[in-house]
Amino acid sequence: KATAKIVLNHVEYNGKSYNDITLDASVADGHASVDALSRNKNANLTLKAEGNLAGNEYDWIFAGDIRHIDLYALALSDTTAEGSVKLAGKARVRPAVAKTRRSPGRPMTISADVDIADIYWHMPGNAINANDIAISLDADTSFTDAHVTNHDLSLAFHSRVPLDTLTTRFNLASLALNRDMQRRRLSIDTLHRALPPFVLNLKAGDNNVLTNYLAGSDISFKRLDLNAANDSLITLHAMANGIKSGETKIDTVAIDMRQRGEYLLYEARMNNRPGTFDQFANVTARGYINADRVALLMKQQNLQGETGYSIGAMAKIADKTRLELRFVPYHPVIGYKEWEINKDNILTYDL
């Protein structure tokens, strides 16, 4: 058995001083344990972990009581980032095996569960204060599953590819999207091919970490459902009920998106009961996004069914340097009155 105890009474790192840090470690019969303690003002924490070092799989359990950590004070963040976290978990990991001429190799597999008993995190302009968050990850040779639950929030993610393929494909999609932004030309079908296949489902009520975070911006909802997928097509459906932002109340908002080749079709709807938002009892906005243009057609009706607005626009990037905006239809409704727009109306803006 080998043991080690490290005591740091004072150390300088990255221009910051750290005091009173201890680390206890032991290794025996292929098993290891680590116990770390820091009593620093900006890094007051206890971390414990133990597991095996031998074999094809590594089984570890861990626990952390981060009573206070301030990443900005530690020069590890450029903005406010401080708080506390108490958590515990376990993980089983089988490392990846590289492909050779004689062996096909094997991707990394992992099964992990983390329970966050309490978390408080302060960031610029907002904070999170939550408890009882459960996170699980199961990644095998042919799939990746992840789940998050917190009171009345449930998030489930599934992909039929292993974890290393999943991260590689998301990185490729990010690179493709960044390239499209730089050239000001969005390729929907290229993004679809770059993204990994996945299904994401989110259901949330009004008592969870998400609503806690939004409360800092005076935003709330009673129910949220979101489904997104990338399979034969990119699709998204989201619906929220009982929305409130400041003094503004909205009954229902729904958003749908669906890929059609090089186009991404979208539709957004807002519906309100009497006494909620009477002038905007029914609002729809639909259109599409493709390589170099965005189309929008919006219609608004009040509680009596009168149309207050029915107008659209087509935005197009020309020669990668100029934005052209054209309004449609040529007989729109604006402020409950019919108007006429010349057919050659074009507004241009140099990018």
Side-chain angles (χ1 to χ4, degrees):
K1 180 178 181 178
T3 62
K5 185 179 183 69
I6 301 174
V7 178
L8 300 175
N9 294 319
H10 180 81
V11 63
E12 296 280 341
Y13 175 74
N14 202 21
K16 302 295 181 180
S17 297
Y18 300 87
N19 304 288
D20 198 11
I21 300 174
T22 61
L23 177 66
D24 290 288
S26 66
V27 178
D29 301 323
H31 186 273
S33 64
V34 179
D35 191 341
L37 170 65
S38 171
R39 295 189 178 91
N40 285 269
K41 174 184 177 182
N42 296 314
N44 188 339
L45 55 90
T46 300
L47 299 174
K48 297 182 179 181
E50 61 176 292
N52 66 301
L53 297 175
N56 296 325
E57 292 184 340
Y58 301 106
D59 284 282
W60 281 72
I61 59 174
F62 52 89
D65 185 5
I66 304 173
R67 292 171 290 276
H68 180 73
I69 188 166
D70 190 333
L71 300 182
Y72 180 76
L74 297 175
L76 298 176
S77 174
D78 295 330
T79 60
T80 301
E82 57 93 17
S84 60
V85 183
K86 190 173 184 178
L87 58 83
K90 59 182 180 179
R92 173 176 293 176
V93 179
R94 174 179 287 188
V97 176
K99 180 180 179 180
T100 65
R101 292 181 179 179
R102 298 182 179 181
S103 172
R106 183 186 68 235
M108 179 185 71
T109 63
I110 180 172
S111 177
D113 295 284
V114 179
D115 293 317
I116 301 176
D118 294 285
I119 179 171
Y120 170 80
W121 197 253
H122 181 210
M123 63 203 82
N126 214 330
I128 295 175
N129 190 2
N131 57 21
D132 298 331
I133 302 174
I135 304 171
S136 67
L137 172 65
D138 288 296
D140 210 326
T141 57
S142 60
F143 70 87
T144 301
D145 284 341
H147 294 84
V148 178
T149 58
N150 173 238
H151 299 300
D152 58 7
L153 180 148
S154 174
L155 184 149
F157 175 90
H158 171 76
S159 179
R160 60 177 187 270
V161 297
L163 184 60
D164 53 358
T165 302
L166 183 72
T167 55
T168 298
R169 293 282 293 274
F170 272 126
N171 286 335
L172 289 175
S174 177
L175 291 173
L177 192 57
N178 288 336
R179 183 177 62 250
D180 285 352
M181 294 299 101
Q182 291 176 358
R183 66 176 188 165
R184 293 169 179 164
R185 187 176 180 86
L186 182 61
S187 177
I188 302 297
D189 53 345
T190 298
L191 180 63
H192 163 62
R193 291 192 298 268
L195 282 168
F198 71 86
V199 177
L200 174 70
N201 296 305
L202 170 66
K203 296 181 181 298
D206 59 2
N207 178 30
N208 53 72
V209 63
L210 177 58
T211 53
N212 181 278
Y213 173 76
L214 293 176
S217 300
D218 201 14
I219 299 173
S220 63
F221 59 80
K222 291 183 178 179
R223 181 71 186 178
L224 171 65
D225 291 276
L226 184 148
N227 304 290
N230 183 55
D231 196 352
S232 58
L233 298 169
I234 299 174
T235 59
L236 180 143
H237 170 75
M239 179 176 287
N241 300 320
I243 305 166
K244 185 177 180 181
S245 177
E247 296 300 319
T248 301
K249 295 180 180 180
I250 299 173
D251 280 331
T252 303
V253 170
I255 300 174
D256 287 283
M257 291 186 176
R258 183 176 179 85
Q259 179 190 0
R260 182 178 292 175
E262 297 180 354
Y263 291 80
L264 187 63
L265 311 181
Y266 69 88
E267 181 176 357
R269 302 176 300 280
M270 179 175 71
N271 297 296
N272 294 295
R273 294 173 296 179
T276 304
F277 207 171
D278 291 352
Q279 290 302 315
F280 291 82
N282 296 284
V283 180
T284 60
R286 58 173 59 95
Y288 66 83
I289 304 170
N290 78 338
D292 60 355
R293 67 190 65 194
V294 176
L296 167 68
L297 184 63
M298 188 272 286
K299 184 177 182 180
Q300 167 263 325
Q301 291 182 315
N302 62 16
L303 194 61
Q304 290 73 36
E306 300 169 329
T307 300
Y309 289 89
S310 181
I311 188 170
M314 177 83 71
K316 176 184 177 181
I317 294 180
D319 302 325
K320 301 179 183 181
T321 60
R322 188 174 70 256
L323 176 66
E324 295 181 352
L325 180 66
R326 182 165 60 93
F327 291 99
V328 293
Y330 303 126
H331 294 276
V333 176
I334 303 174
Y336 296 93
K337 295 181 180 181
E338 292 188 3
W339 295 70
E340 182 176 353
I341 300 177
N342 55 303
K343 296 182 179 181
D344 61 347
N345 75 91
I346 294 180
L347 299 177
T348 62
Y349 178 77
D350 293 329
L351 300 174

